[in-house]
Structures are given as C-alpha cells and as structure tokens.
C-alpha cells in the first residue's frame, strides 16, 4: 500500500465490496489508473485544482473527463444552480429553462433549429441514431470515434460482450481521415445506411477537405451525417467543430462541458429532421431536470460574454509548446508525442526499445501524479487554468521527462514502476 495514497486505496477496497471495479466509469478505475501509484478518490475542487482523499493537491488536466469546461466551483454556474435549487429540481410539467437553454443552443450551433435534452453522451448519440433510422427507413450505421456504451455502438468494439449478433451486424467502423475507407463501406451496403456518425476530430485533426468529403459522401448515399460533439462542442468553438471547420451536419450531439460537470446532453438539428423526435420514442424523466439546465444556461452565457474558447486555445497552445520542447530536448519523440487541438491535447505513447507503451504510460502517470498533476493521457484544458498553473505543469514535466529518458537509457524503466503496469481495456479512439 502506498503511503501517499493510503486513504484513497482504503476507499477503493471498500468501494469494491459494493461497486464492480470500485468506480462508475472505466476511466476512473484501476483499468486506467496504476493501482499503488495513483489516487482513486477526489474530495473537492476549485478552479483548476482538485484535492484527493489523502489531502494531496493536483492541477487537474482531466477535468471530469472533459466535462468541467470552466473549472471547478465556477461562481456563475454555482450561483445559477443554488438559485434554481430553492425553486425545485424536477417538476410534474415542463419548465421554462428547457426552452431558454434550447434557444441559446439554436443561436450558437450552426445546424441547430430544434433541441432535445438527455443526461449523457450515450443518450444523445443513441437518440440521433434512432432518429436517423426512422427518417431514412434504413438500419446500418457507419461509425468513427467513441459514441458511448449502448448496444448500437459498443457492439462494434472489442468490448461487445452481451450485445446480440443482430445488433452488432448493423454497425460498421471506418478509419478516420481516409475517405476511401468510408466510401468502400457505404458501397458494400448500397441504400442501407441510415447514418454516418463520427467525432469531427479527436487525437487527429481532420486532413484538408476530409469533413467536406464525408458530408458529400453522406449526401450522395442518402444517409444523415451526425457529428458527435460530446467533447468538441463549446470547447473548440462556441458552435463546436462544425463551426470551427465550417461543415454543417444533419444532426449533432453535445454533452460534457455543456453544463460544466452537471449531467446534461443534447441532440440538435434542423426542424425537418428533429420533427422525427415526435414519432420515435425518446422520453426521459430527467431530461428537463432544472439544476443542470440552469448550469448550462450560465455556461452558455459565459461563453458569449467572456473569451472562454480563445483562452482554452491559448493556454493549451502554451502548454503543448512547452511539452513539445521538452520532448525534443530529451529525445523522447519516438515514444511520446502530442496531437489534437490545443484545448484537447492527446499524449500518445508508443512501444520503444526497453519498454512497452503501457509501461511508459504507467511510469508517466506514476511520476506525474507524484508531482501534483492529474492527467489520464490528455490535457483537457479548463477556462480556470491560469498561466501560473501552466508553468507548474511544465515544471512537473521538467522533472518527469529526464527521469523517463534516464530510465529508458539504463533499461530500468520496468524496475522503476511502483505497481504493475497498466493493460489495455479496449481502444476508444
């Protein structure tokens, strides 16, 4: 047992007695965190910093798996939620906040004329796919990226236990950035695809003309184009990646930072497609829950009022430039690289002589956590991340990367681990 994480590990042992894996999310469990060299429980957060069960403080670059866009305990969001809490949470009829937040999203998102709410990204993507199937009268779906836990998508991954073969047969992955991959897939089932759904980008930015080509292919094959903007929405532009790259989908799904950590997602699109919501069955008791809607309204107002998106990009760009300079100076480019957008930076680990990618990842987490920085292999920048905190993260890298380089040169990286190395669960992106 680690002295630094003693209380966290005790809580984990306790949690495992009543919760499978000891966590509600794979990404917060020992499948992603090196047991014995990582915290497993956080107690509080403010701004860009969090504190774990043992009292250790971290600069958080996970930010609730990118759900905390503005920072923890954002005063505007918290004030809106407290105000609404005094009036009620879930009502017997609809609440005006449903309309007000929908109107704000319609003003902000290029493809949006109408909106329906859910509680998480899986709600929204499943609803978009069901709508597309109803509107087109077709069954097959082409997917690229991560779209949630429900059968229609997860059956296309290696984590498909419990998904019927008939469901799995209807979902088809294609390779990001390669139009030929999508074209050949659509051609194999002519007239069979209801939707092409993809994350507009994740670890890899779209090659020139790629999203435009996906748009054209979807039109030519008569299927709906769905952008899963669960992460990119609000983070890279107020209207999401569709605004940033000027490619408008038929439908889009939003979530994560929409309510700064409060559970809310949305399906948006033009009225001619969204009217199908009146015919399919998509109905949730908590779709109109007002605390999350109040939080979302505060987030959207703040994005309009303040340079949120510009700040995310500038802070992320400064952080990425600093890390890249350190990687270059220590000759680590063959095993650790950066990619993605400045507001959503990916750290990519590769096998190298002396260590596997998973051993590298475990060492990286072990040493980064010990230096007071929380990351799960990405830099999910929040608006609260200040220049001083960017410099503190870079200071941690200045200590970590030379240690990593030395361990690789001496062939002692595996022996330097204070825990068993992580193992792959399944590749999300």
């Amino acid at each position: 047992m680690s002295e630094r994480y003693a209380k966290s590990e005790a809580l984990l042992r306790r949690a495992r007695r009543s919760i499978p894996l000891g966590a509600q999310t794979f990404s917060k469990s020992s499948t992603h965190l090196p047991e014995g060299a990582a915290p497993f429980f956080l107690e509080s957060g403010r701004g860009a910093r969090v504190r774990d069960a043992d009292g250790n403080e971290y600069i958080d670059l996970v930010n609730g798996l990118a759900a905390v866009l503005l920072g923890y305990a954002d005063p505007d969001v918290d004030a809106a939620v407290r105000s609404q809490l005094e009036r009620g949470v879930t009502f017997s009829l609809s609440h005006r906040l449903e309309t007000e937040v929908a109107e704000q999203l319609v003003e902000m998102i290029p493809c949006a004329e109408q909106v329906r709410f859910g509680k998480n990204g899986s709600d929204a993507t499943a609803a978009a796919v069901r709508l597309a199937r109803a509107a087109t009268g077709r069954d097959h779906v082409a997917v690229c990226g991560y779209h949630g836990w429900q059968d229609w998508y997860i059956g296309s991954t290696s984590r498909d236990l419990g998904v019927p073969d008939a469901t799995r047969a209807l979902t088809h992955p294609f390779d990001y950035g390669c139009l030929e991959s999508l074209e050949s897939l659509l051609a194999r089932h002519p007239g069979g695809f209801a939707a092409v759904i993809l994350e507009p980008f994740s670890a890899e930015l779209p090659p020139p003309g790629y999203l435009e080509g996906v748009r054209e292919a979807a039109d030519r094959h008569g299927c709906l184009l769905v952008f899963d903007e669960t992460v990119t929405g609000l983070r890279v532009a107020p209207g999401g990646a569709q605004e940033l790259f000027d490619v408008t989908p038929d439908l889009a799904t939003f979530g994560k930072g929409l309510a700064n950590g409060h559970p809310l997602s949305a399906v948006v699109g033009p009225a001619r497609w969204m009217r199908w919501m009146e015919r399919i069955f998509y109905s949730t008791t908590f779709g109109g829950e007002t605390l999350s809607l109040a939080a979302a309204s505060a987030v959207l107002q703040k994005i309009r009022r303040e340079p949120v998106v510009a700040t995310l990009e500038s802070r992320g760009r400064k952080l990425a430039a600093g890390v890249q300079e350190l990687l270059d100076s220590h000759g680590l480019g063959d095993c650790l690289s950066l990619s993605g957008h400045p507001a959503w930076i990916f750290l990519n680990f590769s096998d190298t002589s002396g260590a596997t990618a998973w051993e590298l990842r475990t060492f990286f987490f072990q040493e980064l956590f010990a230096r007071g920085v929380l990351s799960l292999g990405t830099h999910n920048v929040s608006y609260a991340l200040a220049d001083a905190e960017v410099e503190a993260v870079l200071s941690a890298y200045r200590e970590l990367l030379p240690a990593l380089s030395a361990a690789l040169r001496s062939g002692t990286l595996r022996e330097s681990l204070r825990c068993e190395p992580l193992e792959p669960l399944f590749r999300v992106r």
Side-chain angles (χ1 to χ4, degrees):
M1 185 174 70
S2 166
E3 182 177 348
R4 176 178 170 84
Y5 307 117
K7 291 182 180 178
S8 203
E9 290 175 7
L11 282 170
L12 180 60
R13 291 192 296 274
R14 177 184 171 189
R16 282 172 170 163
R17 291 195 289 270
S18 56
I19 301 170
L21 277 181
Q24 305 301 325
T25 309
F26 276 119
S27 300
K28 300 178 184 180
S29 75
S30 57
T31 64
H32 281 67
L33 292 160
E35 192 168 350
F40 280 86
F41 288 84
L42 296 179
E43 294 286 335
S44 63
R46 182 166 295 277
R49 297 175 184 263
V50 292
R51 194 172 294 276
D52 71 12
D54 291 270
N56 303 307
E57 187 178 73
Y58 305 85
I59 297 171
D60 191 358
L61 295 174
V62 182
N63 282 303
L65 307 179
V68 180
L69 184 73
L70 301 179
Y72 293 93
D74 179 83
D76 297 315
V77 173
D78 286 0
V81 171
R82 288 192 188 99
S83 176
Q84 183 55 44
L85 181 60
E86 295 178 356
R87 297 177 174 88
V89 178
T90 298
F91 293 92
S92 303
L93 298 174
S94 295
H95 191 276
R96 61 176 175 78
L97 275 169
E98 298 170 46
T99 302
E100 291 176 1
V101 176
E103 289 172 343
Q104 288 174 279
L105 291 174
V106 167
E107 290 178 12
M108 188 173 286
I109 301 168
C111 78
E113 292 178 358
Q114 293 187 330
V115 180
R116 283 292 301 271
F117 295 111
K119 300 312 291 179
N120 55 54
S122 294
D123 286 350
T125 55
V129 166
R130 180 175 293 176
L131 187 158
R133 284 171 165 163
T136 62
R138 301 172 178 182
D139 295 331
H140 291 270
V141 179
V143 300
C144 184
Y146 175 70
H147 306 297
W149 69 269
Q150 296 200 17
D151 283 8
W152 76 268
Y153 165 73
I154 209 67
S156 69
T157 75
S158 61
R159 199 78 180 185
D160 61 358
L161 189 64
V163 180
D165 290 344
T167 300
R168 293 176 58 238
L170 297 176
T171 304
H172 312 268
F174 62 95
D175 298 329
Y176 186 81
C178 177
L179 284 173
E180 183 180 347
S181 173
L182 175 61
E183 289 282 7
S184 63
L185 176 60
L186 296 176
R188 287 201 296 271
H189 299 271
F193 277 91
V196 173
I197 179 170
L198 77 161
E199 292 180 295
F201 72 88
S202 56
E204 180 184 350
L205 293 175
Y210 175 68
L211 293 178
E212 292 86 346
V214 173
R215 169 76 275 178
E216 191 276 331
D219 288 341
R220 186 160 28 86
H221 287 271
C223 47
L224 271 62
L225 175 60
V226 183
F227 278 0
D228 181 350
E229 300 232 45
T230 301
V231 179
T232 56
L234 311 182
R235 177 168 289 276
V236 301
Q242 60 190 274
E243 177 184 342
L244 180 65
F245 296 109
D246 194 25
V247 177
T248 304
D250 297 302
L251 299 171
T253 62
F254 284 68
K256 296 288 188 182
L258 178 56
N260 201 48
H262 291 266
L264 189 69
S265 62
V267 186
V268 306
R272 72 188 184 106
W273 297 125
M274 290 297 290
R275 287 194 194 100
W276 285 90
M277 281 287 187
E278 299 173 9
R279 300 179 62 182
I280 67 170
F281 193 82
Y282 178 66
S283 181
T284 66
T285 297
F286 297 110
E289 176 263 306
T290 59
L291 301 188
S292 297
L293 289 166
S297 183
V299 169
L300 296 172
Q301 290 177 52
K302 194 158 193 167
I303 287 173
R304 282 198 183 92
R305 187 176 67 246
E306 300 183 23
V308 173
V309 171
T311 301
L312 296 177
E313 181 169 354
S314 65
R315 297 280 196 273
R317 197 174 295 282
K318 180 178 180 180
L319 179 56
V323 174
Q324 187 62 60
E325 182 179 349
L326 290 168
L327 291 174
D328 293 341
S329 66
H330 293 288
L332 291 168
D334 63 329
C335 62
L336 182 56
S337 63
L338 305 181
S339 65
H341 185 277
W344 187 27
I345 304 163
F346 284 74
L347 295 100
N348 309 298
F349 299 88
S350 303
D351 292 342
T352 189
S353 57
T356 68
W358 288 94
E359 289 169 342
L360 287 167
R361 191 179 184 91
T362 305
F363 181 90
F364 177 88
F365 287 172
Q366 167 186 292
E367 299 302 319
L368 196 64
F369 298 160
R371 289 165 173 79
V373 177
L374 202 62
S375 169
L376 291 178
T378 58
H379 295 161
N380 305 329
V381 179
S382 77
Y383 185 48
L385 187 74
D387 281 333
E389 285 152 337
V390 171
E391 181 54 37
V393 173
L394 291 175
S395 179
Y397 274 108
R398 291 187 193 106
E399 296 179 4
L400 185 161
L401 294 179
L404 174 60
S405 180
L408 287 173
R409 286 197 309 271
S410 63
T412 59
L413 187 140
R414 181 66 178 82
E415 290 75 16
S416 301
L417 298 180
R418 296 191 289 273
C419 58
E420 289 300 310
L422 293 165
E423 297 180 356
L425 178 68
F426 78 102
R427 187 173 179 84
V428 171
R429 296 178 175 89

